[in-house]
Amino acid sequence: MGGHALLILLSVASLSLLPGAMPLQPSQAWSLFKLRQLLGDPPVLGTWRNYTDFCYGGDYKTASAFVECYEDSVTQLHIMGEPGARPLPTTFSIDAFFTTLSRLPDLKVLTLTNLGLWGPLPGGKISRLQKLEIVNVSSNYLYGELPRGLSQLGSLQTLVADHNMLGGKLPGWLKDMPLLAVLSLRNNTLQGTLPESLKDMPSLRSLVLASNNLSGNLPELSNLQVIDMANNALGPKFPRLGRKVASVVLAGNKFSDGLPADMLASCYLLERLDVSGNRFVGPFPAALLSLPSMEYLSIAGNRFTGRLSGNASCGENLRFVDLSSNLLTGSLPGCLLAAPGKTVLFSANCLSTGDDSQSQHPSPFCRNQALAVGIVPEQGRKKSGAKAGVVAVIVLVGALVVSAAVVFVVRKARLPKARPARRLVEHASSAYPSNLLADARKNLWSLGWVGLGGKNGRNAAANL
Ligand SMILES: *[C@@H]1O[C@H](CO)[C@@H](O)[C@H](O)[C@H]1NC(C)=O
Ligand SMILES: *[C@@H]1O[C@H](CO)[C@@H](O)[C@H](O)[C@H]1NC(C)=O
Ligand SMILES: *[C@@H]1O[C@H](CO)[C@@H](O)[C@H](O)[C@H]1NC(C)=O
Ligand SMILES: *[C@@H]1O[C@H](CO)[C@@H](O)[C@H](O)[C@H]1NC(C)=O
Ligand SMILES: *[C@@H]1O[C@H](CO)[C@@H](O)[C@H](O)[C@H]1NC(C)=O
């Protein structure tokens, strides 16, 4: 008897000595079991027993399902099902689920992935979880728009809902979430343009909206460090970035202007730039290779032009470069060739490399293609730099006119006087087949405007 009492005393003493050794409030334990039931008793929660003390006992915890408490209240709930989970049966109610969840009022961190959750996120219920800081509800079957109720979660820092079926536009009210730093909605069905108000989110650091159906130009994203917009229909303008940016993935979109070489040159922290599979034109700024932090650079599958120089330099962190399928000429920089541990892809350009393993087009191919993309849309002409192009065309036409005039005058030497200039132009046009004139014009345009006018255009001219 006495021994028993001592044991109990000892165990009570040891209980109270352990940090956080308070049993979970019974109502919260009940809620946890209710959640398990609403999830259809998934195998991942098989270790939860009626006598499990979620805050104290450690045995029930697995890497895929665990609870953390502060004193007698749940602050973290993590339930990660098996990849490929089917949707829960039609009897499942996302409303009931979040109602139960809201009875864990101190919840700060919530992970509910691969559980077959389906339905629209119930904004009203979610907004009761006022302390939420980090939420990951990836790989479920959530649909509908992001509910306005989310904007009432004033402490929310991270919202990850990748691989769901969330739709509609990205809402402008996101700017009302003062602490939101990470927003990831990869592989959903978001549509339309991004709200300008994204630029008014001083805390936002990481924006991942890859594999949706977004279109139009991106707003200014100068606070962001991580941008992943791959596989949408965004463009044509390259977005305005800030100097702190570390990773920019714009692969598989409809960007078709040039790369802003000056802006990118000041991105000293940029580690990853992937603009592959777009319609970019204009000169490839080789200075990207030598950015101090650059590790991963892909411009594959665009129409970048320019003559690379064998002596261009590379940054010391560079480990992956893909220049494939562009219109580059010149020589592959030596720093890319002699590069153990580096992956360097450059096939389907017009480079002279001495390396036959990555086949190249003959250089006229790149030149002709460059000329073809050199015909810029109307808007290109309005840009200030385009004036130079217009002047150049006028000068060229003038030169043709003069030489035509010479031919004309020599041929028709017996005519007493040169005709007025206007007539000469007409004759020039007929003396030179119209396609020749057009070609000459194209040439100039491509030289001057391949990079959409201005400074870039002149660089292109120098590079071709
Ligand atoms: C656990 O509790 C539930 C009711 O909350 C009860 O239906 C079930 O039989 C109990 N299971 C065990 C193993 O005690
Ligand atoms: C969200 O959960 C998924 C699945 O458990 C995991 O793979 C992913 O890394 C998590 N994302 C974040 C940002 O924590
Ligand atoms: C995209 O999400 C769907 C579920 O909405 C999933 O079935 C699919 O595997 C995901 N695709 C990728 C590439 O992850
Ligand atoms: C993407 O959006 C466009 C309209 O912007 C629409 O026509 C198209 O059907 C959408 N594609 C998908 C797969 O939803
Ligand atoms: C690279 O070589 C070219 C000649 O091939 C030279 O004009 C240029 O100045 C060199 N550039 C550097 C950075 O050494």
Side-chain angles (χ1 to χ4, degrees):
M1 284 299 264
H4 247 129
L6 189 65
L7 254 181
I8 288 168
L9 246 178
L10 270 178
S11 51
V12 167
S14 68
L15 253 183
S16 57
L17 282 177
L18 279 166
M22 257 187 205
L24 180 61
Q25 295 168 29
S27 66
Q28 292 200 12
W30 185 88
S31 296
L32 288 173
F33 282 113
K34 181 73 182 167
L35 290 173
R36 178 172 76 169
Q37 186 207 327
L38 292 171
L39 291 173
D41 288 310
V44 66
L45 301 183
T47 55
W48 289 13
R49 309 263 179 251
N50 281 7
Y51 47 82
T52 297
D53 189 329
F54 290 95
C55 295
Y56 173 50
D59 288 354
Y60 80 95
K61 288 190 185 183
T62 65
S64 306
F66 58 96
V67 169
E68 302 288 349
C69 305
Y70 180 73
E71 296 184 337
D72 61 352
S73 190
V74 171
T75 55
Q76 300 193 21
L77 172 62
H78 303 269
I79 311 177
M80 291 162 264
E82 291 290 324
R86 309 292 312 149
L88 289 166
T90 49
T91 50
F92 173 75
S93 159
I94 190 109
D95 253 44
F97 185 83
F98 274 90
T99 302
T100 307
L101 208 53
S102 67
R103 301 202 173 116
L104 304 173
D106 293 319
L107 205 54
K108 288 187 165 143
V109 184
L110 177 64
T111 308
L112 298 167
T113 59
N114 282 305
L115 292 172
L117 300 177
W118 62 267
L121 280 172
K125 308 283 160 47
I126 292 176
S127 65
R128 291 186 206 161
L129 289 163
Q130 276 292 314
K131 296 192 179 165
L132 275 182
E133 292 174 8
I134 300 177
V135 174
N136 184 348
V137 289
S138 297
S139 301
N140 286 293
Y141 300 86
L142 301 171
Y143 55 77
E145 301 188 2
L146 288 179
R148 179 93 209 211
L150 281 175
S151 68
Q152 290 167 32
L153 299 178
S155 306
L156 197 65
Q157 296 163 18
T158 296
L159 176 60
V160 182
D162 298 339
H163 313 303
N164 279 285
M165 305 182 302
L166 296 167
K169 287 184 71 167
L170 196 72
W173 49 252
L174 285 167
K175 72 169 191 322
D176 300 335
M177 305 177 73
L179 301 181
L180 192 65
V182 175
L183 178 63
S184 184
L185 300 169
R186 182 191 297 277
N187 186 20
N188 278 277
T189 60
L190 298 173
Q191 307 243 348
T193 55
L194 296 187
E196 281 299 318
S197 58
L198 283 180
K199 72 179 191 317
D200 304 323
M201 297 181 66
S203 304
L204 195 63
R205 293 289 173 268
S206 173
L207 183 60
V208 177
L209 301 172
S211 301
N212 278 280
N213 191 15
L214 299 165
S215 54
N217 284 324
L218 293 168
E220 186 176 329
L221 300 171
S222 45
N223 294 321
L224 290 181
Q225 291 165 7
V226 174
I227 299 168
D228 187 347
M229 300 287 162
N231 304 321
N232 281 285
L234 294 160
K237 270 195 169 55
F238 192 87
R240 174 129 215 103
L241 307 172
R243 295 194 172 183
K244 283 181 269 175
V245 75
S247 175
V248 179
V249 179
L250 302 176
N253 278 284
K254 293 186 175 168
F255 291 97
S256 59
D257 284 8
L259 280 184
D262 290 352
M263 183 176 78
L264 288 168
S266 66
C267 294
Y268 297 118
L269 303 175
L270 190 57
E271 293 169 9
R272 172 181 286 254
L273 178 64
D274 185 346
V275 296
S276 60
N278 279 283
R279 301 167 184 176
F280 279 106
V281 296
F284 164 59
L288 288 176
L289 293 169
S290 58
L291 279 180
S293 305
M294 187 68 84
E295 294 173 10
Y296 183 110
L297 175 64
S298 178
I299 62 161
N302 284 287
R303 299 194 146 206
F304 285 112
T305 48
R307 177 173 289 281
L308 295 187
S309 149
N311 60 3
S313 59
C314 302
E316 59 182 28
N317 294 309
L318 206 57
R319 55 175 177 77
F320 180 95
V321 178
D322 193 348
L323 309 174
S324 314
S325 300
N326 277 288
L327 303 172
L328 302 171
T329 59
S331 342
L332 194 70
C335 63
L336 290 177
L337 274 175
K342 276 190 193 128
T343 303
V344 179
L345 307 171
F346 54 86
S347 64
N349 280 282
C350 300
L351 294 163
S352 55
T353 62
D355 173 351
D356 293 340
S357 64
Q358 303 197 36
S359 64
Q360 299 294 311
H361 297 294
S363 40
F365 173 85
C366 289
R367 187 171 293 272
N368 292 338
Q369 293 285 311
L371 295 183
V373 295
I375 303 165
V376 294
E378 281 300 311
Q379 61 172 47
R381 299 179 191 208
K382 290 183 196 124
K383 300 197 171 163
S384 61
K387 268 189 190 155
V390 171
V391 170
V393 169
I394 289 168
V395 168
L396 176 90
V397 170
L400 285 175
V401 166
V402 168
S403 46
V406 170
V407 170
F408 184 79
V409 167
V410 169
R411 280 205 188 151
K412 314 259 171 162
R414 55 198 157 114
L415 284 181
K417 280 179 194 170
R419 298 181 178 208
R422 189 143 168 201
R423 302 288 300 273
L424 280 177
V425 171
E426 286 166 31
H427 279 270
S429 320
S430 56
Y432 287 83
S434 57
N435 60 344
L436 188 65
L437 257 181
D439 269 357
R441 227 173 265 146
K442 262 192 216 165
N443 247 308
L444 267 180
W445 285 3
S446 69
L447 287 175
W449 291 356
V450 158
L452 273 190
K455 208 165 151 210
N456 286 349
R458 283 196 292 280
N459 287 345
N463 284 338
L464 257 176

